[in-house]
Amino acid sequence: MLKKLFQTLRSPLRRVRPARPTPQVLAASQHNLHREQISRNAVGVVERLQQAGYQAYLVGGCVRDLLLGITPKDFDVATSATPEQVRAEFRNARIIGRRFKLAHVHFGREIIEVATFRAHHPADEEQEDNNQSARHESGRILRDNVYGSQEDDAQRRDFTINALYYDPHNERVLDYAHGVHDIRNREVRLIGDPTQRYLEDPVRMLRAIRFAAKLDFAIEPHSAEPIRRLARQLNDIPAARLFDEVIKLLLSGQGLRTFELLCEYELFAPLFPATAAALKADPDYAGRLIRQALINTDERIRIGKPVTPAFLFAALLWPALPARAAALQAHGLPALAALQEAAHELISEQCRRTAVPKRFTLPLREIWDMQERLPRRQGKRADLLLENPRFRAGYDFLLLRESAGEVTGGLGDWWTRYQEISDSERRQMIRALGSGEGKPARKRRRAPRKRPAPADGGQD
Ligand code: ATP
Ligand code: MG
């Protein structure tokens, strides 16, 4: 069906394509998108707005994904109604956002995001109305509430593939920016001048990577070219927005491919400076650990298991920990205190880049603390650890470290076996550790015991 659609379209291959004053209209027979594939609530919102006399369409990712045969993750609506007018139509609507004001219409757990058609900002700063529009001297748009026509709205969207509108009433797709052409060619292409569009909103660089990875598209060369040069612009983006973006980048099922692209386009360092430094210092170990964490995460998402930012951030920051702790030790802190302080510093620094909420930094610390505790298994310690709600994450993290080549003296295997066996066998395993093994180093002075060095890396 998609093939048929594409055959019906002309394919201008010029790079700079003039904006279409009137859209290319694809009738129902020319595309493979069906009304039934769309959330009923979203269709309901569009119909209600249309009945009230407004223009309203499904827009953005849902149209793009459905044309590609992908199930959309959510449904966005674009309308000529202002957020206040949307709220007046729906009892279950709330207005959110200051930088970008829009209405959320709530249906139980489903939220339909309804955005008012927007226009580009006036080129002449004098004309800017500070209530609606504000721009930083770099060109960054600080407030984006200048309303406009549907055509204006299409031109100020980020990528051509995201500027497609679907009307569920007549089942037509409206294409103002040659988005269907780029879907066919599997290309992520910014609308307008790439440098200017990235300066207006540097997060678009991350979005380019995200869509390229998610859809397995190439980034069109002119849209790719400015990214490395402008990567540092991300430093000026609020940390809370970057955290949200990092989650979408790395926890959407294409984490590994996204990571490779972020590194390729030099966007990883502005997001994770300490990790980037660790990757530079020890690319083999740090690279293996991070890639393996992302492979595991992608696999969990594929099979429908839950994933948490706490584990991912624990893995991303872990390679930066030893150097930081060593520096503090060199300043005279004892080993354990240095490690604790290094962990604290690293997490706070990372939060200044990507504001990781407390509900994730607390378990992150627990996963790391667990790495200190897992080797100490004497007496009742092993059983207490096993009952710890964070045990599973700590154990998984230990296996991850081992898979990246960290030497732990067979600790992962020991814990794997310990979980599988009976109580009496567990007692035997603990006894087999011997009295010295697994206990924290004591400061008490004691004559060294005379015994041959163990051959199996420390386990006896
Ligand atoms: P997905 O929901 O699959 O992540 P999406 O394309 O729907 O992808 P959203 O973040 O939901 O992405 O945004 C909805 C639409 O709003 C986009 O398709 C795009 O048209 C527009 N948009 C979002 N963010 C920006 C931005 N920073 N600059 C310009 N347009 C944007
Ligand atoms: Mg969306």
Side-chain angles (χ1 to χ4, degrees):
M1 192 65 171
L2 202 58
K3 207 169 159 196
K4 185 172 147 204
L5 147 73
F6 291 144
Q7 281 162 355
T8 66
L9 295 168
R10 279 174 292 129
S11 57
L13 285 167
R14 281 166 295 146
R15 174 174 81 80
V16 179
R17 288 170 298 195
R20 284 182 168 140
T22 50
Q24 166 141 19
V25 179
L26 305 183
S29 60
Q30 291 176 292
H31 61 75
N32 58 340
L33 212 153
H34 299 290
R35 200 183 142 91
E36 302 74 51
Q37 294 168 296
I38 294 168
S39 141
R40 278 186 185 199
N41 293 325
V43 173
V45 168
V46 169
E47 284 178 340
R48 173 84 170 265
L49 287 168
Q50 289 178 343
Q51 279 154 18
Y54 302 108
Q55 288 172 277
Y57 297 86
L58 284 138
V59 69
C62 61
V63 183
R64 173 198 71 216
D65 288 353
L66 286 170
L67 286 173
L68 283 162
I70 300 172
T71 307
K73 109 178 144 23
D74 50 34
F75 293 87
D76 300 313
V77 170
T79 178
S80 58
T82 63
E84 289 74 15
Q85 288 169 331
V86 175
R87 190 178 48 190
E89 286 302 318
F90 300 93
R91 263 187 311 136
N92 45 343
R94 290 207 350 232
I95 295 179
I96 63 145
R98 249 170 58 85
R99 192 186 70 84
F100 193 99
K101 203 175 184 193
L102 43 78
H104 273 177
V105 188
H106 291 253
F107 299 91
R109 291 171 64 110
E110 188 180 18
I111 296 175
I112 306 297
E113 207 163 270
V114 185
T116 306
F117 292 153
R118 273 163 172 79
H120 274 301
H121 290 234
D124 177 357
E125 273 180 41
E126 309 242 311
Q127 286 177 35
E128 291 203 347
D129 173 342
N130 289 342
N131 267 330
Q132 295 165 353
S133 131
R135 207 187 264 270
H136 185 261
E137 58 189 25
S138 67
R140 187 152 45 89
I141 292 177
L142 302 173
R143 208 164 305 130
D144 189 2
N145 293 315
V146 181
Y147 301 135
S149 66
Q150 183 179 12
E151 183 201 342
D152 294 332
D153 189 72
Q155 299 313 324
R156 60 144 291 285
R157 287 184 181 270
D158 46 8
F159 303 104
T160 60
I161 56 172
N162 286 349
L164 297 165
Y165 299 76
Y166 177 70
D167 183 340
H169 175 67
N170 56 25
E171 305 202 57
R172 285 181 181 167
V173 171
L174 307 188
D175 179 4
Y176 285 90
H178 306 272
V180 173
H181 171 267
D182 287 335
I183 287 185
R184 180 185 58 177
N185 280 350
R186 307 187 75 83
E187 277 191 330
V188 177
R189 181 195 308 266
L190 269 177
I191 298 173
D193 175 60
T195 299
Q196 187 197 334
R197 301 303 314 276
Y198 289 136
L199 285 173
E200 278 174 11
D201 183 3
V203 169
R204 290 176 186 148
M205 296 187 279
L206 298 177
R207 290 174 59 87
I209 303 295
R210 177 153 74 85
F211 296 127
K214 166 177 163 156
L215 307 170
D216 197 18
F217 276 27
I219 304 177
E220 177 276 322
H222 296 88
S223 303
E225 184 276 321
I227 296 183
R228 288 182 192 85
R229 191 160 36 84
L230 300 177
R232 273 183 312 174
Q233 296 286 328
L234 285 180
N235 292 341
D236 300 329
I237 302 297
R241 185 163 178 224
L242 286 186
F243 174 76
D244 290 346
E245 215 47 51
V246 163
I247 295 305
K248 290 189 208 160
L249 282 161
L250 299 179
L251 285 178
S252 297
Q254 296 297 335
L256 181 63
R257 172 141 181 73
T258 306
F259 169 71
E260 307 292 8
L261 284 172
L262 287 174
C263 292
E264 188 184 328
Y265 284 96
E266 295 169 24
L267 292 167
F268 186 72
L271 296 174
F272 292 94
T275 311
L279 269 164
K280 212 168 183 180
D282 189 354
D284 283 350
Y285 165 69
R288 262 200 309 272
L289 187 105
I290 291 169
R291 287 190 178 85
Q292 193 57 52
L294 291 166
I295 290 170
N296 298 351
T297 304
D298 289 346
E299 176 60 9
R300 286 180 72 93
I301 292 170
R302 199 183 62 76
I303 59 180
K305 283 195 181 175
V307 289
T308 162
F311 192 92
L312 186 68
F313 275 77
L316 285 166
L317 295 177
W318 180 257
L321 200 53
R324 191 63 65 102
L328 290 167
Q329 253 183 295
H331 277 85
L333 272 189
L336 195 60
L339 202 62
Q340 299 283 341
E341 180 56 25
H344 175 75
E345 276 182 8
L346 254 183
I347 295 171
S348 333
E349 270 175 39
Q350 184 59 43
C351 287
R352 286 198 284 277
R353 284 298 163 103
T354 63
V356 187
K358 267 228 168 62
R359 66 177 187 281
F360 301 128
T361 56
L362 293 178
L364 186 171
R365 270 309 287 267
E366 285 168 355
I367 290 171
W368 281 359
D369 289 345
M370 191 72 87
Q371 305 311 300
E372 282 291 303
R373 296 168 64 192
L374 284 166
R376 306 185 215 156
R377 294 151 285 171
Q378 288 287 324
K380 293 204 163 49
R381 288 201 182 108
D383 288 333
L384 282 175
L385 272 180
L386 214 50
E387 284 165 22
N388 187 312
R390 211 62 70 190
F391 171 81
R392 185 73 214 189
Y395 162 74
D396 284 346
F397 199 80
L398 170 67
L399 297 185
L400 175 69
R401 289 167 50 208
E402 289 183 345
S403 71
E406 263 190 70
V407 179
T408 66
L411 198 56
D413 281 348
W414 190 95
W415 275 108
T416 305
R417 178 156 164 69
Y418 196 77
Q419 291 172 75
E420 289 164 352
I421 57 180
S422 68
D423 264 358
S424 64
E425 288 170 307
R426 284 182 178 173
R427 300 282 67 75
Q428 270 178 21
M429 276 184 83
I430 299 292
R431 273 198 299 278
L433 289 172
S435 53
E437 182 57 44
K439 274 194 174 177
R442 299 258 165 128
K443 288 225 168 116
R444 243 186 306 144
R445 247 178 277 149
R446 196 204 283 160
R449 276 197 293 155
K450 283 196 187 123
R451 57 173 185 178
D456 63 350
Q459 303 281 339
D460 59 358

